[in-house]
Amino acid sequence: MSSEAHSSELGEFLKERRAQLSPRTVGLPDSGGSRRVPGLRREEVALLAGISTDCYTRWEQGRVPVPASVLATLVRVLHLDDDQRDHLFELVARDGRAPRRRPAQKVQPQLRRLLDELPTAPALVLGRRTDILAWNPLAVALFTDFGQLPEKKRNYTRLLFTDPGFRELHLDWRTIARGCVAHLRMEAAKCPGDPDLTVLIGELSVADADFRKWWAGRQIACPGVGTKRLHHPVAGDLTLDWDSLTCTADPAQQLVLWTAEPGTPSHDGLRFLASWTAASYQRDATA
């Protein structure tokens, strides 16, 4: 991504945020008349921020960089939540920097050992771009055999949008898929011009209309915990709580694991799946 393209990304983010606000939301008088475009006008944002309209216009048009000294003001004026604030900071920090290729990730050894110590909880290690770096046997039983996929295809978001079986497994597919798109949006801000991310976004934009729409929508809220509903062909319907733990040695790697409340049918389903998986491995070892 060129410097000009990244400035455009920043400008589009600012425009989208002011389009989502109304004069009443920010404490300005609302004349009640129709507006040519939704949301706040540029001059209204400039008024609230205490700057000239020309200055703010140049930021949106990418003609000059946004100074770090006004970031706190923009966060307040545009009513940004924490994820949106972090996204803005990333865009400003990267504005004008040359693209760079990042080295391939390998799972951290301590995360690999931790996976092996989780026989009753499905778990994955996800890297940048939701790449699947490692998994335990129960994650294979719950989702799919990641080891049978080419390494470049081991990506959670790619599977959600391109693998019919993976999509059907997720009863709340739209919520999970939109969260993954938001994660990729934040990755794009952290490292503009990442060639691998550009290829992934291009592939999914061609493959799926929902991805194109959600990517254009620029949603960036990306929760770190949640609940996932799955329909498994062996274990049946499962409602699992998921959490993500960031690796200290490499913050771009996260251990994601799924658990169920003890005593619930989902907990029984996971235990059954774990027993079924252990028996399958034992049969393979015997054979």
Side-chain angles (χ1 to χ4, degrees):
M1 185 182 294
S2 66
S3 172
E4 291 81 3
H6 190 61
S7 294
S8 176
E9 173 89 1
L10 175 58
E12 288 299 321
F13 174 73
L14 293 174
K15 283 189 285 187
E16 175 148 343
R17 278 307 303 157
R18 68 176 172 87
Q20 294 172 0
L21 299 173
S22 67
R24 184 175 302 173
T25 301
V26 297
L28 292 176
D30 191 347
S31 63
S34 61
R35 293 179 167 232
R36 290 187 305 157
V37 294
L40 297 178
R41 301 184 179 97
R42 284 173 175 165
E43 54 266 31
E44 291 170 330
V45 175
L47 173 66
L48 292 168
I51 57 176
S52 69
T53 301
D54 180 63
C55 181
Y56 179 77
T57 299
R58 284 183 288 171
W59 293 344
E60 275 201 3
Q61 294 176 345
R63 296 180 341 198
V64 296
V66 177
S69 59
V70 302
L71 289 181
T73 300
L74 289 178
V75 169
R76 173 182 56 80
V77 169
L78 297 175
H79 289 219
L80 303 185
D81 61 28
D82 290 346
D83 286 331
Q84 292 166 338
R85 176 203 62 203
D86 293 345
H87 186 64
L88 173 65
F89 287 6
E90 288 286 353
L91 289 173
V92 171
R94 299 293 181 182
D95 196 14
R97 297 187 187 181
R100 56 189 177 89
R101 180 178 289 278
R102 294 180 286 184
Q105 281 182 293
K106 298 295 182 184
V107 63
Q108 290 290 318
Q110 62 270 36
L111 290 186
R112 176 69 269 175
R113 292 193 299 268
L114 185 55
L115 281 177
D116 295 336
E117 296 296 326
L118 295 170
T120 60
L124 301 171
V125 176
L126 297 183
R128 298 184 296 259
R129 305 176 294 268
T130 68
D131 291 333
I132 301 168
L133 305 180
W135 53 90
N136 66 0
L138 194 50
V140 171
L142 182 63
F143 294 110
T144 190
D145 190 347
F146 302 107
Q148 296 298 313
L149 300 174
E151 185 173 353
K152 290 186 177 296
K153 299 296 183 180
R154 294 176 195 159
N155 179 279
Y156 203 93
T157 306
R158 177 184 277 113
L159 290 171
L160 276 174
F161 282 96
T162 64
D163 186 295
F166 206 76
R167 179 188 291 234
E168 292 173 7
L169 176 68
H170 293 76
L171 294 176
D172 47 3
W173 177 85
R174 294 180 68 85
T175 300
I176 300 301
R178 293 195 73 166
C180 286
V181 173
H183 181 86
L184 294 184
R185 170 65 63 188
M186 297 183 75
E187 278 292 310
K190 292 177 183 177
C191 190
D194 178 347
D196 294 321
L197 181 58
T198 299
V199 169
L200 176 63
I201 293 168
E203 174 189 340
L204 298 182
S205 296
V206 171
D208 191 275
D210 283 327
F211 183 90
R212 290 194 299 273
K213 178 176 67 177
W214 295 336
W215 183 259
R218 301 178 183 277
Q219 172 192 349
I220 57 172
C222 189
V225 296
T227 300
K228 181 175 293 188
R229 297 184 306 117
L230 303 172
H231 177 70
H232 193 272
V234 174
D237 288 348
L238 302 170
T239 299
L240 305 178
D241 297 320
W242 66 270
D243 204 340
S244 56
L245 309 176
T246 300
C247 177
T248 303
D250 180 2
Q253 294 188 30
Q254 291 188 322
L255 174 69
V256 184
L257 63 159
W258 291 262
T259 60
E261 183 72 24
T264 62
S266 295
H267 185 257
D268 295 339
L270 269 188
R271 292 179 66 86
F272 168 74
L273 193 59
S275 300
W276 178 75
T277 302
S280 297
Y281 273 77
Q282 183 62 40
R283 287 195 300 271
D284 291 344
T286 302

